[in-house]
Amino acid sequence: MKKRLIFLLLLAILLLSACSNSDELSGKTFDVSVMWSSPNSPSDNYKPLMRLEFSDGNIVKNTMGYEEGTYELKDDKLVIQFENENESLEIEFTLEESDNEFSEYSAEISDSDFQIEDSGQVSKYQGFYQKLWDRHFVFIER
């Protein structure tokens, strides 16, 4: 009887820990930056393209002019999606631990998708989307 009780207790603990929010990004803010020339310290050699604030519920906000979106972190893939009434932008980063002591992650875009319904309207994401390709990024925690 004691063995069953211990087994049920361990099973309950495992289930509760599996259901808890284990998202390592929630509550953090990162500058997603690209290499830029600067005569100062190594961290000054990077210019942020985005400042991402991650929060519970898989919500992400780019505080550098873009609206709120959603994200999913799975293994080494971070997928971010922004959407408004006329367009959507999805960016998939492949993350790895950074070799730089000033940054948390090193990243490249492994996939992206930009869709616009009415190209006659002003696009909020198109110019930003075009800046993303052929770049190496670092995620610098703020």
Side-chain angles (χ1 to χ4, degrees), residues 21-129:
N21 185 5
S22 62
D23 182 358
E24 63 190 74
L25 296 178
S26 183
K28 294 184 179 183
T29 300
F30 292 94
D31 281 346
V32 179
S33 303
V34 295
M35 179 67 99
W36 194 256
S37 62
S38 171
N40 301 325
S41 71
S43 64
D44 290 338
N45 290 335
Y46 290 87
K47 176 183 175 186
L49 288 180
M50 295 185 274
R51 178 166 294 151
L52 299 177
E53 292 179 353
F54 295 91
S55 58
D56 291 339
N58 290 20
I59 303 297
V60 64
K61 184 175 182 179
N62 181 359
T63 62
M64 295 181 73
Y66 304 97
E67 59 193 41
E68 190 172 271
T70 59
Y71 74 95
E72 180 180 1
L73 178 63
K74 213 180 234 185
D75 300 323
D76 66 340
K77 302 286 187 200
L78 171 63
V79 179
I80 297 174
Q81 175 139 14
F82 296 106
E83 190 171 348
N84 63 34
E85 60 279 348
N86 187 45
E87 57 194 337
S88 67
L89 174 62
E90 183 174 291
I91 309 164
E92 179 181 281
F93 291 97
T94 300
L95 301 176
E96 57 184 50
E97 192 173 315
S98 178
D99 293 335
N100 300 317
E101 58 188 53
F102 60 86
S103 68
E104 183 91 13
Y105 301 105
S106 177
E108 291 184 1
I109 294 179
S110 46
D111 195 16
S112 68
D113 184 41
F114 172 72
Q115 300 289 324
I116 188 164
E117 294 200 21
D118 182 358
S119 59
Q121 292 188 19
V122 175
S123 173
K124 188 171 188 176
Y125 305 131
Q126 188 171 20
F128 178 68
Y129 172 73

